[in-house]
């Protein structure tokens, strides 16, 4: 990943800057094909995902970008098959290629077809695929100790005794650079700072050595310094454990620093995907461009401060019950073509360099 | 962000700012978005079908409270002398094999000489159709106007035999009590007292509980300690003797309803402690939460922190306890009567009616006298489902 | 924690003292004293009011003395000799009257409390996790009926139905042959055979409330991120619900459990009266109406003490189940 | 007991039955006659003595199997030795003699309800027969001198306490000397033991005779000896140990007193003297306490020394045990009744539930017997109330008459009481020797016009728009509060609320206020009461218990301050002397004459004068009376007869000697 040099300076703060995955990235780990997840509410059906396709290779880091409500988190939850009620995967495949272990050969599981409460889904969830959530403050049970919560995860997926699980836990806590891991074991979440809690979350997520880690805006709720530490930590751990990461964020800076390949989503659809350089240097979709535009720049009149960067794009994400006809982005699009964009939703075009975009501007 | 990163961002091609092409549709969207929060709440509420039914019930109940004289077919004190403990009138639709508007047959009463029980048999010769807006006993509504129209009833000759004691056929859709008074009319009149007075005390204790519990949990320390000891102390004052002492303190010639009102208000000053403790418990754990910390550090006023950040997170508990307090208030009426402090005849309330029915002979011989209990249950259900509906609709997490 | 408990217990002493004074004062508030009610009883029961006897009684119970003297005598008796005074109406030392009743009351209330929980928690959890299902609606409706019907009316109806439909008599806690018998295994079994009816009746009304609170609290917790975290870990759904959100949703329960014991005890009063149970409630009520000072005072004192201990237990329990709460502060 | 009864020449059993049947038949005839003869102190025990003689002819007396077992095991002396030489022979109201054994189940409401069990158990020197005449019981006979200042009672020789100790005149003296006159125990002497302000004297002639002397005539003294409510004898041989002046070991008594939690010996003594608190206390009644009344189940067991037999020579009582079971609310008690778990009881059986009881007779295998209650539905206007305007109002006889005729008694009766009562003033029952129809029916016709005229004529003619009469010369409505203890949903409350409505119809505003009984008591004792609603009873033998008629029974507060004046001799702080020439003075003077009038007929005549004043003045206003009184009698339970008045004075349902009741099949009721 030599192209990600511009992002390096951030890591100078930690004085520890490597960002390359050691695993062969050509082997496909996860394939998402035409995934549709809908929420069946009394007021109507919310089409949270309207046909999402992308692929994750082993060891690869994928960035999932978009504004709030565009379906990033639903995608993540669909992969884990923990879509909250009344949501349901209605169409598509989530093919997860499980690596072989001592007990069983490698297999391909369609997570979309599994009973979400069944044992196979549960063994993959947390074992092969794990997740780090956005809110480290509330993502841990307030009434159980850190140790108990991690040990539970280990006991669920690994065949080991309580003592062994404790040892692993301590080791994991040490790995995420928590001081005095034995002490942390007995602490409750409210006794830890936000950054520490997120480290705990990461430790828990990695405790079963998953092949895929989904990180749903893991640093949003943290201050900048801690953000950087956590990101660095994740990079290190990825290097060490060799897992693939799906990184969900609306922070393009983080994307630039962390990922290999970017998937841009808008209202439940993938509007553009490409490797990180193409996205930053040659964005194609008007939405991607306005996303990039919304990043504040020094020396230029800032439209909005950090706190309101999401509204920096003109207009707001439409009400989920009344998604506009045609291209869903057209009401906010500066390049919209009347009579075209407001009637037909374009298909995903493949441009050179595995760059895909969904916009009439690139119609052949 | 570092200098370099910004430089990097600068390389992004400029995108023209200015109005998007399809401006007007955006404006509409925004309106839609603003409207949709309330709308969403409404949708959620509508979705809770029972809540809607409860809401309708609630409206009907308070309509009855407002216009009980009109809804009741008879005055609550009118005794039909041959109809003591009459079974509920059978409302029929078919006479002589023909479908008709609802009617009742005339009822012949007789007394079993051995047991002294009255028996009631229908005389199929005499038909009394049930009509709307019939004229009956005269009454005055809200001291405003006087009329003899009632929502429904039958046209039957009623003759006053002695004061408030009448002879003749009546329509008793829920039967009569031991003095031959129409139970339905009495329940309707009873709603007025039962559904109003107690609410005051519920609200007072709610407010006190929120404020003192909130202060206690939020500030902690000495203030918390003091309030906790106060609560402990108040809680440990046994209620019954306290009420009895109060009874002795109130002047004896006080109007019974005013007296009852005073007692409920005084009870509210003892009754806030339960909610206060729960609120405190929640505050104690919430104030450790980072979002509260954050709000505090960012200089939000404390009232704002409490109202905006902490309160909503246990709104559902408050609504639940509130709706639970309503049956408590209706039932406490009967409990208070038990120790001579509640309402008593000639005042009419559901508690009074229930208390009068609260003996073995009513349960055994005239079970319809327990129907005021059904009114209590019905209104409790209405309050609770309505509360549930509102809670769920307003729930920020749902 | 231990330090905290010790400090709270020390705190209890002045509170108890204040309460004992207050209880005593409350009893004195209504006009008249035991002698007036006794005289009323005599004439009701067909006896002439014998002023001499009243005089003797006044002397015996120190009724003529100032209230503070009476109080001091009483409290001194308790502190120095464990003597709770004499019941004027029952003409027996208070201590002989109340212990068995208190024990029966606690047994009844505790079992009602436990039963109430055993019923309420699963139903509440089901209702919350299957919100708006038919079962949720019917459970809710059922629980409100339990909530809307006064306990004593329910007791009365059960009493009558048991007689007319099942031909059994559910009044009392013991069969006649065990009423006077000393405690034995057989007597305990006999009590268990009788206690379930009042227990259920007392439990039903509190169950309804508990279902509502469980449901509401759990609904608050179900959407919290930590539940999703646990789900993402691959925890089995049922275990997940019970281990995480239910645990947290129970906190308000713990913060009131100590009190609910005391309120259950008074809640059993009316049911106990209808079912003629020899628990504290009916005796307390009568001692109050008869102004049987020392008996009523002792009862009030006991109930208050129970409440205070209950509060302490609540606080400690809450601290145990919710680590966010620190007792030492 | 040394005398032997070995004569064996005997009547056959059949002959015996015939004799006893004749005796009782005679009694029944008299009972059916109206009124009844005057209570006869002269009536010697002659009428019943022969039966006893015949019993002795039978040979040895017979006893209950449970006692026979104890005799054969040596725990008890033989029945002949336990009975007096001349045991009392109880007439059996049912006609035939009974069977031994079984349990009688009843209900009670706690220690304060001690009179229920006590009325079954306490036995005085005499007791009423079916005609309400007094007959000798524990006393074999008595004589009085001409001016009724000396009463000599002859006791039954050889009668014994339940512990076997002889019952003699010493026991009367012991009570008199060590209890009545001991100021530690009795700071003052009850007026019932006094005449002319002086306490009576008591001297013992021999072991079996004692003479009470008074300095003024005391013709009604016999009625004070019928029940032991105020005691007339005490088991001195037992109680001495608790009496500081008589005990052998004063230190032990002191220690025991403290141990039991009492301040002084006299308190402890009084405690030990209550039969229901002290099962060890020797008894003369048919049963004695087996445990303390403060239990859930109070058990009474037969007294093996009870000195009475039936006409067949069977020692009474027939029933082995009486069990009183506690109940808290009437519902449980009523349920026990309809479940058939109450064998014999009138007390607490409420008329409200008449239909319930009747309909379940078969189911519960019992019968509802009807007697007459002495109570009346009545209100008392406190003519000495502290409010001067109200006092003037109440003291106006026309006002009281108006409030009497303002009420439609017939409709009230039908509406509230299903027509079971009779419209009447507060008056002696029809079955009372003092019954007076004129007084009973004075001003009872419903006449609202007359009521209005009377009120107008009394000066209360002004009314406001709402139709309320006003205090003369003001705009304030005339109103008063009626206090009472009738509880909700009862006929009592229905009745007073209906009466108040009738008052409103003639412009009188009255409000009914329920009070807990002790509060009510507090109010009337302090003369704080304006008017009251409390049924008037004691109408079976009003001469014996005339307190309501003379106004001294102030829980029927028609003239509280006056009543206090008479009962306290003017000492009570709330007492007030009635105005000179007031009719209440007339009543009091007549009552004073009655109290010293030896002639029975003359007393009745005098009492008629009191009733005449009542008929004209209506000191309290009665509306309905002659209420049926229900007595639950389990089928197979024999000995009780229907149709008797039930009143406190005559022992309620125990008038006919509970000890003679029995089971057809005792084995089914053990």
């Amino acid at each position: 990943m030599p192209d990600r040099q511009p992002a390096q300076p951030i890591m100078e703060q930690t004085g520890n800057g490597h960002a390359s995955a050691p695993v062969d990235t050509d082997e496909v780990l996860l394939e998402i094909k035409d995934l549709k997840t809908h929420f069946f509410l009394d007021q109507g059906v919310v089409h949270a995902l309207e046909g999402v396709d992308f692929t994750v290779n082993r060891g690869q880091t994928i960035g999932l970008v978009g504004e709030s409500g565009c379906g990033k988190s639903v995608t993540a939850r669909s992969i884990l098959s923990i879509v909250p009620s009344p949501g349901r995967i209605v169409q598509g495949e989530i093919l997860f290629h499980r690596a072989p272990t001592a007990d069983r050969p490698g297999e391909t599981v369609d997570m979309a077809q599994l009973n979400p409460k069944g044992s196979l889904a549960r063994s993959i969830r947390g074992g092969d695929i794990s997740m780090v959530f956005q809110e480290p403050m509330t993502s841990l049970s307030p009434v159980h100790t850190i140790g108990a919560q991690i040990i539970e995860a280990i006991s669920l997926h690994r065949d080991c005794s309580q003592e062994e699980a404790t040892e692993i836990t301590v080791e994991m806590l040490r790995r995420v650079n928590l001081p005095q891991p034995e002490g942390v074991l007995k602490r409750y979440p409210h006794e830890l700072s936000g950054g520490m809690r997120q480290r705990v979350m990461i430790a828990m997520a990695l405790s079963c050595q998953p092949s895929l880690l989904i990180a749903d805006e893991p640093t949003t709720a943290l201050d900048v310094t801690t953000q950087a530490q956590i990101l660095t930590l994740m990079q290190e751990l990825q290097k060490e454990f060799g897992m693939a990461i799906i990184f969900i964020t609306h922070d393009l800076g983080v994307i630039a620093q962390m990922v290999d390949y970017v998937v841009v989503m808008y209202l439940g659809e993938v509007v553009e995907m490409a490797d990180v350089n193409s996205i930053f240097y040659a964005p194609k979709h008007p939405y991607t461009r306005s996303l990039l535009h919304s990043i504040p720049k020094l020396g230029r009149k800032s439209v909005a401060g950090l706190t309101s960067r999401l509204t920096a794009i003109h207009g707001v994400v439409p009400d989920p019950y009344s998604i506009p006809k045609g291209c869903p982005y057209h009401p906010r699009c500066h390049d919209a073509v009347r009579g075209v964009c407001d009637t037909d939703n374009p298909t995903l075009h493949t441009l050179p360099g595995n760059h895909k975009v969904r916009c009439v501007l690139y119609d052949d | 962000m570092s200098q370099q990163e910004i430089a990097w961002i600068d390389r992004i091609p400029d995108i023209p700012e200015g109005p998007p092409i399809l401006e007007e549709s955006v404006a509409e969207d925004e309106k839609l978005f603003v409207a949709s929060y309330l709308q969403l709440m409404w949708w959620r509420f509508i979705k809770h079908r029972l809540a809607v039914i409860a809401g309708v019930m609630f409206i009907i109940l308070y309509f009855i409270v407002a216009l009980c004289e009109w809804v009741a077919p008879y005055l609550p004190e009118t005794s039909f002398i041959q109809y003591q403990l009459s079974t509920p009138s059978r409302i029929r639709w078919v006479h002589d094999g023909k479908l008709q508007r609802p009617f009742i047959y005339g009822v012949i009463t007789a007394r079993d000489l051995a047991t002294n029980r009255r028996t009631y048999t229908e005389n199929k010769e005499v038909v009394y159709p049930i009509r709307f807006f019939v004229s009956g006993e005269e009454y005055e509504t809200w001291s405003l106007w006087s009329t003899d129209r009632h929502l429904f009833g039958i046209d039957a000759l009623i003759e006053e035999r002695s004061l408030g004691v009448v002879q003749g056929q009546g329509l008793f859709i829920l039967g009569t009590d031991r003095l031959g008074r129409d139970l339905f009319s009495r329940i309707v009149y009873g709603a007025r007292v039962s559904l109003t007075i107690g609410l005051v005390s519920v609200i007072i204790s709610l407010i006190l509980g929120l404020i003192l519990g909130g202060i206690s949990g939020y500030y902690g320390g000495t203030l918390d300690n003091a309030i906790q000891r106060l609560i402990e102390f108040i809680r440990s004052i046994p209620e019954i003797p306290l009420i009895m002492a109060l009874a002795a303190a109130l002047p004896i010639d006080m109007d019974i309803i005013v007296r009852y009102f005073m007692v409920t208000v005084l009870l509210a000053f003892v009754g806030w402690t339960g909610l206060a403790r729960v609120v405190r418990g929640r505050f104690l754990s919430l104030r450790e939460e980072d979002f509260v910390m954050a709000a505090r550090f960012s200089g939000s006023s404390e009232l704002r922190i409490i109202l905006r950040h902490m309160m909503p997170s246990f709104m559902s508990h408050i609504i639940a306890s509130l709706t639970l307090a309503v049956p408590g208030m209706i039932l406490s009426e009967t409990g208070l009567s038990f120790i001579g402090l509640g309402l008593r005849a000639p005042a009419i309330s559901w508690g009074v009616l229930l208390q009068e029915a609260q003996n073995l002979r009513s349960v055994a011989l005239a079970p319809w006298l327990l129907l005021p209990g059904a009114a209590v249950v019905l209104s409790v259900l209405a309050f609770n489902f309505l509360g549930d509906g509102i809670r769920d609709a307003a729930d920020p997490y749902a | 924690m231990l330090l905290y408990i010790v400090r709270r217990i020390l705190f209890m002493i002045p509170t108890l003292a204040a309460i004992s004074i207050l209880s005593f004062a409350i009893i004195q508030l209504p006009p008249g004293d035991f002698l007036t009610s006794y005289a009323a009883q005599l004439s009701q029961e067909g006896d002439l009011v014998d002023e001499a006897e009243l005089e003797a009684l006044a002397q015996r119970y120190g009724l003529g003395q100032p209230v503070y003297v009476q109080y001091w005598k009483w409290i001194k008796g308790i502190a120095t000799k464990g003597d709770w005074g004499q019941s004027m109406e029952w003409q027996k030392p208070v201590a002989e009257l109340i212990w068995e009743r208190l024990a029966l009351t606690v047994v009844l209330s505790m079992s009602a409390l436990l039963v109430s929980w055993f019923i309420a928690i699963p139903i509440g959890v089901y209702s919350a996790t299957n919100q708006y299902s038919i079962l949720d609606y019917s459970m809710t409706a059922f629980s409100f009926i339990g909530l809307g019907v006064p306990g004593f009316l329910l007791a009365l109806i059960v009493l009558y139905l048991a007689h007319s439909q099942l031909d059994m008599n559910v009044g009392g806690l013991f069969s006649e042959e065990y009423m006077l018998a000393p405690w034995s295994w057989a007597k305990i079994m006999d009590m268990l055979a009788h206690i379930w009816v009042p227990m259920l009746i007392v439990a039903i009304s509190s169950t309804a409330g508990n279902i509502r609170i469980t449901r509401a609290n759990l609904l608050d917790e179900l959407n919290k991120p930590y539940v999703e975290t646990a789900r993402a870990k691959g925890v089995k759904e049922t275990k997940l619900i019970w281990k995480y959100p239910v645990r947290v949703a129970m906190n308000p329960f713990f913060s009131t459990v100590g009190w609910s014991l005391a309120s259950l005890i008074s809640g059993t009063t009316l049911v106990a009266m209808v079912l003629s149970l020899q628990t504290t409630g009916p005796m307390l009520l009568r001692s109050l109406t008869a102004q049987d000072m020392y008996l009523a005072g002792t009862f009030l004192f006991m109930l208050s003490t129970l409440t205070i201990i209950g509060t302490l237990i609540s606080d400690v329990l809450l601290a145990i189940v919710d680590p966010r709460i620190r007792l030492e502060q | 007991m040394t005398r032997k009864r070995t004569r064996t020449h005997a009547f056959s059993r059949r002959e015996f039955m015939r004799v006893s049947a004749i005796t009782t038949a005679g009694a029944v005839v008299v009972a059916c006659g109206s009124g009844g003869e005057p209570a006869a102190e002269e009536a010697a025990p002659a009428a019943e003595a022969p039966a006893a003689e015949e019993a002795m002819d039978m040979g040895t007396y017979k006893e209950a199997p449970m006692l026979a077992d104890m005799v054969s095991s040596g725990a008890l002396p033989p029945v002949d030795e336990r009975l007096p030489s001349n045991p009392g022979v109880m007439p059996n109201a049912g006609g035939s003699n009974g069977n031994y054994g079984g349990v009688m189940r009843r209900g009670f409401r706690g220690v304060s309800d001690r009179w229920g069990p006590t009325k079954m158990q306490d036995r005085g020197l005499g007791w009423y027969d079916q005609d309400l005449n007094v007959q000798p019981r524990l006393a074999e006979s008595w004589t009085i001198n001409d001016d009724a200042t000396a009463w000599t009672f002859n006791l039954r020789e050889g009668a014994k306490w339940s512990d076997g100790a002889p019952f003699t005149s010493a026991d009367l003296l012991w009570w008199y000397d060590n209890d009545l006159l001991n100021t530690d125990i009795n700071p003052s002497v009850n007026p019932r033991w006094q005449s002319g302000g002086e306490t009576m004297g008591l001297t013992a002639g021999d072991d079996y005779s004692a003479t009470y002397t008074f300095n003024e005539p005391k013709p009604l003294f016999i009625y004070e000896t019928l029940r032991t409510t105020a005691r007339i004898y005490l088991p001195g041989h037992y109680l001495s140990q608790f009496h500081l002046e008589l005990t052998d070991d004063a230190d032990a008594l002191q220690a025991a007193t403290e141990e039991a939690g009492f301040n002084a010996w006299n308190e402890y003594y009084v405690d030990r003297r209550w039969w229901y608190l002290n099962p060890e206390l020797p008894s003369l009644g048919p049963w004695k306490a087996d445990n303390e009344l403060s239990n859930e189940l109070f058990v009474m067991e037969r007294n093996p020394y009870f000195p009475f037999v039936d006409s067949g020579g069977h020692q009474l009582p027939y029933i082995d045990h009486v069990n009183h079971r506690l109940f808290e609310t009437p519902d449980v008690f009523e349920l026990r009744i309809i479940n058939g778990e109450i064998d014999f009881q009138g007390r607490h059986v409420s008329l409200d539930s008449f239909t319930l009881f009747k309909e379940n007779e078969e189911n519960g295998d019992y019968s509802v017997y009807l007697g007459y209650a002495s109570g009346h539905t009545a209100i008392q206007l406190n003519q000495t109330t502290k409010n001067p305007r109200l006092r003037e109002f109440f003291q106006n006889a026309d006002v009281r008459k108006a409030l009497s005729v303002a009420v439609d008694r017939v409709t009230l009766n039908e509406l509230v009481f299903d027509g079971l009562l009779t419209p009447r003033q507060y008056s002696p029952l029809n079955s009372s020797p003092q019954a007076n129809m004129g007084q009973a029916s004075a001003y009872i016709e419903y006449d609202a016009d007359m009521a209005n005229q009377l009120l107008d004529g009394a000066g209360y003619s002004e009314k406001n728009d709402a139709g309320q009469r006003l205090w003369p010369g003001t705009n304030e409505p005339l109103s008063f509060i009626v206090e009472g203890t009738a509880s909700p949903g009862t006929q009592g409350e229905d009745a007073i609320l209906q009466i108040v409505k009738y008052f409103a119809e003639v412009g009188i505003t009255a409000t009914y206020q329920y009070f807990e009984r002790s509060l009510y008591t507090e109010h009337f004792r302090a003369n704080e009461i304006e008017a009251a609603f409390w049924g008037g009873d004691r109408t079976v033998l009003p001469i014996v218990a005339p307190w309501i008629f003379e106004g001294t029974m102030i829980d029927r507060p028609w003239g509280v301050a006056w009543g206090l004046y008479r009962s306290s001799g003017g000492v009570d702080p709330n007492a007030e002397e009635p105005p000179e020439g007031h009719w209440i003075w007339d009543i009091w003077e007549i009552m004073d004459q009655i109290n010293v009038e030896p002639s029975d007929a003359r007393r009745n005549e005098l009492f008629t004068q009191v009733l005449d004043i009542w008929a004209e003045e209506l000191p309290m206003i009665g509306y309905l009376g002659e209420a049926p009184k229900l007595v639950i009698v389990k089928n197979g339970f024999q000995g009780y007869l229907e149709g008797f008045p039930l009143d406190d004075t005559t022992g309620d349902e125990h008038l006919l000697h509970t000890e003679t009741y029995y089971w057809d099949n005792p084995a089914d009721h053990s």
Side-chain angles (χ1 to χ4, degrees), chain D residues 344-646:
Chain D
F344 172 69
Q345 189 153 359
R347 192 181 181 82
H348 304 305
V349 180
S350 142
L351 183 62
D352 294 74
S353 297
F354 178 71
T355 305
L356 179 70
F357 297 144
K358 279 304 269 191
E359 289 190 350
N360 284 283
E361 271 183 328
E362 203 172 313
N363 183 28
D365 194 26
Y366 62 87
S367 302
V368 181
Y369 282 19
L370 289 179
Y372 291 98
S374 61
H376 285 71
T377 301
I379 73 164
Q380 298 87 39
L381 307 173
N382 181 4
Q383 294 167 46
T384 61
T385 178
K386 286 179 175 166
N387 174 342
R389 289 191 299 195
L390 207 51
R391 173 187 283 236
E392 191 190 333
F393 179 70
F394 287 156
Q395 286 191 359
N396 191 323
D398 282 349
V399 167
R400 300 195 296 271
K401 285 171 194 161
L403 294 184
S404 180
V405 297
V407 174
D408 180 353
R409 289 173 169 80
V410 175
T411 303
L412 177 70
N413 186 22
E414 201 175 321
L415 183 68
V416 178
F417 297 100
D418 296 333
L420 293 172
L421 274 59
T422 307
R424 60 189 285 144
Q425 291 290 351
Y426 169 70
S427 52
L429 282 190
N430 291 350
S431 53
S432 161
Q434 283 79 37
N436 182 321
M437 287 324 286
Q439 186 255 329
S441 57
Y443 300 103
I444 61 168
E445 289 303 317
Y446 176 44
D447 193 340
D449 294 338
M450 180 179 166
N452 278 317
Q453 281 164 21
L454 284 167
L455 289 168
D456 288 348
Y460 300 95
S461 55
E462 293 297 312
K463 291 187 187 176
N464 63 11
D465 294 342
Q468 295 170 303
R469 287 177 192 274
L470 304 173
W471 290 114
T474 69
N475 283 324
E476 296 166 55
L478 189 166
S479 76
F480 58 90
I481 290 168
V482 183
E483 299 187 13
T485 57
S487 53
T490 59
Q491 292 172 335
E493 195 198 50
D494 291 341
I496 179 61
L497 290 177
Q498 194 67 25
I499 289 169
V500 161
K501 277 203 237 171
Y502 281 113
F503 287 180
E505 188 66 1
V506 295
I508 301 297
T509 311
T511 315
Y512 173 66
Q513 275 276 352
Y514 163 84
F515 282 100
E516 203 286 310
R517 203 190 317 141
S518 56
L519 272 178
Y520 172 76
T521 305
E522 182 69 15
H523 287 164
F524 67 69
R525 284 172 74 85
N527 194 19
E528 297 277 351
I529 215 158
E530 294 182 349
F533 174 74
W534 190 313
D537 61 357
R538 291 174 171 78
T539 51
V540 174
L541 289 174
I543 283 195
V544 179
W547 313 301
I548 295 178
F549 283 101
E550 59 176 18
T552 49
M553 191 149 171
I554 57 171
D555 57 356
R556 275 69 162 185
W558 58 262
V560 174
W562 297 337
L564 288 172
Y565 176 81
R566 179 161 165 93
S567 59
S568 73
V571 176
D572 192 289
N574 290 305
E576 200 180 299
E577 188 173 357
E580 209 169 315
H582 194 274
W583 44 263
I584 198 169
W585 285 115
D586 300 337
I587 294 180
W588 290 352
E589 273 160 28
I590 299 168
M591 287 315 304
D592 289 344
Q593 288 176 44
I594 289 175
N595 282 336
V596 296
E597 173 55 56
S599 157
D600 202 46
R602 176 71 190 138
R603 280 204 306 266
N604 277 353
E605 236 176 82
L606 286 167
F607 197 75
T608 307
Q609 291 177 22
V610 172
L611 293 179
D612 287 344
I613 297 174
W614 267 67
E616 205 37 55
E617 296 293 344
L618 302 186
M620 91 185 202
I621 306 166
Y623 294 102
L624 298 168
E626 291 276 322
K629 181 75 188 87
L630 312 183
V631 182
I632 301 297
V633 182
K634 184 87 175 169
N635 293 339
F637 187 83
Q638 303 293 351
Y640 185 68
L641 297 181
E642 207 172 9
F644 281 88
L646 286 98

Side-chain angles (χ1 to χ4, degrees), chain B residues 50 229 232 235-237 245 277 282 287-289 316-317 331 338 358 381 384 388 391-392, chain C residues 8 19 22 29 131-132 137 144 147 152 212 215 217 219-220 255 259 270 304 315 324 326 329:
Chain B
L50 272 181
R229 296 292 85 73
E232 212 166 77
R235 285 293 293 214
S236 52
I237 302 170
R277 245 184 94 83
R282 286 286 180 118
R287 70 189 198 128
E288 301 296 322
E289 299 284 351
S316 44
H317 189 95
L331 293 181
F338 191 84
Q358 213 186 90
L381 283 173
N384 279 280
D388 266 12
R391 187 197 75 91
D392 291 352
Chain C
R8 279 289 296 270
I19 284 165
L22 193 78
L29 258 183
Q131 214 184 347
Y132 307 131
Y137 278 137
F144 282 146
L147 203 62
F152 40 98
R212 303 309 301 154
R215 180 179 180 274
N217 287 343
L219 281 176
D220 277 357
S255 67
W259 287 355
L270 301 187
S304 308
D315 285 350
R324 288 171 295 181
R326 287 173 227 140
Q329 57 186 326

Side-chain angles (χ1 to χ4, degrees), chain C residues 200-288:
Chain C
L200 276 183
I201 292 169
V202 173
I204 276 179
S205 49
S206 57
T207 301
N210 291 347
I211 291 178
R212 303 309 301 154
I213 291 176
T214 308
R215 180 179 180 274
N217 287 343
L218 190 55
L219 281 176
D220 277 357
E221 295 299 325
L222 274 182
N223 293 311
K224 293 273 174 74
Y226 69 85
V227 181
E228 201 169 33
T229 306
R231 198 170 283 135
K233 270 198 276 190
V235 182
K236 215 172 175 173
E237 192 65 18
T238 339
K239 186 184 173 192
L240 178 147
I241 297 284
W242 285 91
K243 185 166 177 186
Y244 294 97
V246 173
R247 243 321 278 289
V248 180
M250 285 302 101
N251 285 355
F253 252 153
F254 290 112
S255 67
T256 50
V257 60
W259 287 355
S260 54
L261 192 62
S263 67
L264 262 177
I265 288 178
S266 44
T268 56
T269 302
L270 301 187
V271 173
M273 292 205 63
V274 173
L275 296 177
S276 229
L277 309 179
Q278 296 315 296
T279 53
T280 50
M283 195 184 244
L284 167 65
L285 212 62
R286 266 169 56 170
S287 65
L288 283 168

